[in-house]
Amino acid sequence: MPPEEEAAMHIDTPWRRDLEEVGPAMEKWARAVLGPDAQVSEAGSPGNGMSSETVLFEMTLGGETERYAARLAPMPEVYPVFPEYDIELQAKCMRLVQARTDVPVPDVRWVELDPQWLGTPFLVMRRVDGEAPPDIPPYVFGGWVADAPPETRAAMQRDTLQVLKKLHELSPANADLAFLARPKHGATALRQQIGYQRWYYDWARDGMSYPLIDRTFAWLEANWPEEGETVLNWGDARVGNVLYRDFAPIAVLDWEMAKVGPREVDLAWMIFLHTFFHDMAVTFGLPGMTDFMQWDSVIAEYEELTGHQVENLEWFTIYAALRFAIVSIRTSKRGIAYGTMEEPADPDDLVMFRGLLERMLDGTYWA
Ligand SMILES: Nc1ncnc2c1ncn2[C@@H]1O[C@H](COP(=O)(O)OP(=O)(O)OP(=O)(O)O)[C@@H](O)[C@H]1O
Ligand SMILES: [Mg+2]
């Protein structure tokens, strides 16, 4: 990528904690909670991800040195992307998946809810040696996924769908998923998801009106689908939240958006986020990636793996776009608040993929 594009893709993150302070603070916590001999070193940032903070570090405890990754809830004084943040829910998801499936998730060692140590609750998991396809700049722009032979990418896609298949085998019928239900937001799992999004949007918009998002809610209501079987939804189901080694998934990360709902919620999100990155690449004059996470092949492979017939994927894609649109008005607003972005004249321009969503709503996208 030419350097000016590289620079344009770089996103400053002034809202993150200072790593010089996190290491010593983590050590204080470890000495108080785990053992007085605990030593923390090599605190560093993985440099991927937009909404949360991950700190990589080493810790020596009882003479043994291990490598860890901490996931920190966002600091309350920075411009928040989400109205609530439940670190315990994320730990529960990872522990449940670890206990009930053979999907690889990091081993969660400690959950600390007391904000006195790092300013917010956090969890500490074992560090896994793998690589996630980057978000910044997106993997479709170039790098190890783009450089791989097509058949390797195809295998990577299939293995990733295999992960979804296994996660979707967990359902309220065979696992305790009650902690993921949101009864105050609706009567069924899908109603709860949309109800939750309405509640989120009402907080996120901060008194502003975003006509494109209002139209998307209206479209979803007007075209309400038959609701399929309720299963575990990973939530932020996308390749960027999987660590791979030799192109095979070795850790499934990022459970903050986990819910219960139809399988199509995760499938559509996975395809949509790829489409979003592809579309961005095309805007930058790059070819993008058209042999990976494509609509037809994802449906065919998922159906073959699971025997489940994928239904109403258009609806779930627009729902995915809605979720991402609300997140994106918050991340855009945060950029404006920190001076890394300018306030656009039209509020809908805060939706980074505005054109894509408009084409979906008027039907031209599918043709
Ligand atoms: N257990 C782990 N072992 C090794 N690396 C990890 C681990 N957890 C997180 N990471 C590193 O941190 C990066 C970001 O992690 P994650 O996707 O969980 O959070 P995030 O991207 O900050 O959150 P969000 O996607 O909500 O913005 C990963 O791509 C990976 O490089
Ligand atoms: Mg992530």
Side-chain angles (χ1 to χ4, degrees):
M1 194 181 338
E4 62 279 8
E5 280 174 25
E6 184 100 44
M9 280 308 305
H10 177 76
I11 298 177
D12 285 321
T13 53
W15 49 84
R16 293 198 175 185
R17 265 164 280 225
D18 186 351
L19 281 171
E20 306 268 311
E21 290 164 22
V22 173
M26 189 71 90
E27 186 169 86
K28 256 193 189 162
W29 165 77
R31 290 188 173 179
V33 174
L34 306 179
D37 66 326
Q39 274 182 308
V40 168
S41 59
E42 310 290 327
S45 157
N48 196 15
M50 305 267 302
S51 67
S52 313
E53 289 183 87
T54 303
V55 177
L56 306 177
F57 64 100
E58 286 183 16
M59 183 162 63
T60 307
L61 194 63
E64 301 272 332
T65 302
E66 288 266 9
R67 296 157 77 239
Y68 296 98
R71 189 164 169 86
L72 283 54
M75 293 293 280
E77 66 266 26
V78 305
Y79 195 92
V81 174
F82 298 106
E84 59 184 12
Y85 195 88
D86 192 342
I87 207 87
E88 240 183 335
L89 173 143
Q90 302 174 37
K92 269 189 185 170
C93 286
M94 287 191 263
R95 285 171 169 160
L96 176 80
V97 169
Q98 191 174 47
R100 295 288 310 275
T101 73
D102 62 4
V103 170
V105 285
D107 204 10
V108 178
R109 298 298 313 277
W110 302 283
V111 178
E112 180 56 70
L113 299 179
D114 189 339
Q116 70 158 306
W117 307 106
L118 297 183
T120 61
F122 60 95
L123 66 79
V124 177
M125 55 195 147
R126 250 194 239 284
R127 185 159 157 192
V128 176
D129 270 318
E131 238 188 306
D135 292 347
I136 306 170
Y139 62 92
V140 295
F141 284 48
W144 60 275
V145 183
D147 293 343
E151 56 280 11
T152 303
R153 237 182 341 268
M156 184 178 165
Q157 172 176 315
R158 207 182 164 81
D159 290 348
T160 310
L161 292 174
Q162 184 78 39
V163 162
L164 274 193
K165 172 205 155 141
K166 290 175 184 170
L167 294 177
H168 293 166
E169 283 166 5
L170 293 179
S171 76
N174 61 30
D176 182 8
L177 302 181
F179 70 101
L180 293 172
R182 291 287 173 272
K184 74 167 180 182
H185 290 302
T188 67
L190 192 56
R191 287 280 174 201
Q192 285 174 19
Q193 291 209 21
I194 300 292
Y196 175 88
Q197 291 300 323
R198 278 197 186 277
W199 172 78
Y200 174 30
Y201 174 52
D202 215 45
W203 169 87
R205 68 196 184 85
D206 214 1
M208 290 280 291
S209 175
Y210 297 90
L212 180 56
I213 295 183
D214 295 334
R215 264 174 64 208
T216 310
F217 271 115
W219 188 94
L220 291 171
E221 282 296 337
N223 295 280
W224 197 264
E226 188 142 342
E227 190 168 333
E229 186 200 352
T230 298
V231 300
L232 171 67
N233 283 169
W234 167 14
D236 203 354
R238 58 194 188 89
V239 291
N241 282 326
V242 179
L243 298 180
Y244 295 86
R245 193 185 302 146
D246 297 330
F247 300 92
I250 55 162
V252 175
L253 306 175
D254 231 337
W255 291 85
E256 73 192 53
M257 297 204 278
K259 297 267 183 308
V260 282
R263 300 147 181 269
E264 283 80 3
V265 170
D266 280 342
L267 274 178
W269 183 260
M270 191 169 272
I271 298 170
F272 174 71
L273 266 292
H274 175 80
T275 310
F276 163 72
F277 284 137
H278 168 81
D279 203 58
M280 191 191 271
V282 171
T283 314
F284 275 91
L286 298 166
M289 192 181 285
T290 51
D291 68 348
F292 189 59
M293 290 295 160
Q294 300 298 295
W295 181 278
D296 289 347
S297 69
V298 168
I299 294 178
E301 282 176 16
Y302 185 85
E303 287 187 342
E304 191 197 320
L305 286 171
T306 60
H308 166 84
Q309 192 173 344
V310 175
E311 306 273 11
N312 305 307
L313 204 59
E314 278 181 23
W315 191 94
F316 286 95
T317 302
I318 290 182
Y319 171 47
L322 172 86
R323 286 167 59 201
F324 195 47
I326 305 172
V327 171
S328 84
I329 62 171
R330 291 302 294 187
T331 51
S332 297
K333 280 290 219 181
R334 180 179 60 186
I336 294 164
Y338 281 90
T340 62
M341 201 183 134
E342 275 183 43
E343 180 96 52
D346 183 350
D348 280 346
D349 281 338
L350 292 182
V351 178
M352 295 184 269
F353 51 96
R354 172 182 186 159
L356 198 60
L357 179 53
E358 284 167 339
R359 291 201 302 282
M360 284 178 182
L361 291 178
D362 70 22
T364 51
Y365 175 81
W366 319 104

